[in-house]
Amino acid sequence: GDVYKRQLFAAYNTAQNLVTTVLPDGLGFYSLCIVYAAVCIVKPFAPSIVVKLTATKAMFGGALMYCTYLGALIVPKTVPVCIGAALLGFGGAVLWTGQGTYLSSNSSDESRGDAAGLFWACPDDGFGCTAILRRIETPLWHC
């Protein structure tokens, strides 16, 4: 589970850092607005969705939604990028809720704090990698 999370979030964090400067006509900015608006709309319903799907299926489905947005950025056209952003917002809310549910259900009361610390340390490591990748990739986009 940790490997997919690192790769998925490293890819998304890199894309998130680049879209506002690379995509034309403010498309990157608007797509990120759509992502986080969708997260806010779906988040209150995410626990119910996770209960119906189970935590692992919710995480898998949420990860697929991240991939739709990243895939839409390959040939950035307004409609696919905006649809991908909305799907990512929906999937992100469900994925993060699923991860919290999975973490809680697979930890004892004694180990829950350690498990949560390890869980949150991994994205932080990914953010560091994202910053390095951004410094390497940014000049390539302007060639």
Side-chain angles (χ1 to χ4, degrees), residues 44-131:
F45 308 102
S48 298
I49 295 168
V50 170
V51 167
K52 287 182 182 181
L53 293 177
T54 73
T56 52
K57 289 178 184 171
M59 290 186 295
F60 180 76
L64 288 178
M65 297 302 112
Y66 273 77
C67 294
T68 61
Y69 178 70
L70 294 170
L73 295 175
I74 293 171
V75 180
K77 303 288 184 197
T78 302
V79 172
V81 168
C82 290
I83 290 171
L87 290 172
L88 167 58
F90 174 84
V94 173
L95 179 130
W96 284 100
T97 303
Q99 286 181 330
T101 302
Y102 187 82
L103 176 70
S104 295
S105 65
N106 288 290
S107 300
S108 66
D109 289 340
E110 297 81 28
S111 68
R112 192 164 288 133
D114 292 337
L118 287 171
F119 173 80
W120 286 109
C122 295
D124 289 342
D125 178 57
F127 296 146
C129 294
T130 300

Side-chain angles (χ1 to χ4, degrees), residues 112 135 141:
R112 192 164 288 133
R135 299 303 287 159
W141 284 98

